Amino acid sequence: MFIFSVVGIFALFLLVFFLVKEAWPALVKVGGELFTSVYWYPTADPPEYGMLAMIAGTLLLTAFSSAVLLPLGYLIAFFLHTYAKDFEKNFIRTTVEFLAGTPSVIIGLFVLLYIAPILLNFDVWSTENFLLASIGLILTALPYTVSLSLEALDSVDVALEESALALGATRFTTVFKVTTRAALPGILNAFVLTVNRVVGETMIVLMAGGGAAIIPRSFFDPVKPLTAAIASEIGEVAVGSMHYHVLFAAGVILLVISLVLAGLSRYISGRQTK
């Protein structure tokens, strides 16, 4: 167990080292242009490597999807824990787990074939846009929020709920104010894992986002997050070119976002535990 643990930690450090090593030339030579310019023309002469639009697209898409996804996932988990009968809980849980096992490329095809045509009724100029990508992300990440939040609620000692009910609290008040508070560290971790899932999703935003490196100003504008840029361009660049190193810099930005989210989760969980 010790050997496997050391190997896993060593592999993680190697992965981070490789990522930073390949991104370093871009961070040094391109510098502030990566974060301050919205002009992404890596094949132009001279090339421009501004990733501000893609960073903004990533953050906006993550924020909007999470604002819908996290409350919805908690409410479903709340219903399953509080009110659902055994057969309802088993059926919904099985359905959610099935959705979690569905490849994201299938969900991308679903939103393209069945939801994108509906947007034509609203006279949008691009059916592959911010809203369509967000819907796909919500469908993909919702099972993680529901499953992990439900697990956190179910893990709370039943004696806490019984004590609150014995004092006259309603079922809703007991679960909302007692069980949820006791399960808050687990729920927060579920939220962070879900947000990280949204940040790192590639296929859906690549298929449904529209692929335009602009800052979206409406739900119907196309968007190109960092993951979509890496997936669509890394196979076409020359190894060792500046374009190649800039795409690794995009990976470093995604890694930093994930680390910030994980650190925030641990901080909030630690304060709640104290």
Side-chain angles (χ1 to χ4, degrees), residues 5 40 42 88-89 98 107 113 144 149 153 176 186 200 238 242:
S5 300
W40 176 255
E88 293 175 334
K89 192 172 184 177
F98 175 78
I107 296 178
L113 295 177
Y144 296 90
S149 298
L153 291 173
F176 185 71
M242 187 53 63

Side-chain angles (χ1 to χ4, degrees), residues 60-84:
L60 289 173
L61 196 57
T62 300
F64 177 76
S65 301
S66 300
V68 176
L69 171 66
L70 299 182
L72 181 60
Y74 168 75
L75 288 175
I76 296 174
F78 183 92
F79 167 77
L80 293 177
H81 177 80
T82 310
Y83 299 111

Side-chain angles (χ1 to χ4, degrees), residues 139 162 178:
L139 291 175
E162 292 175 347
V178 178

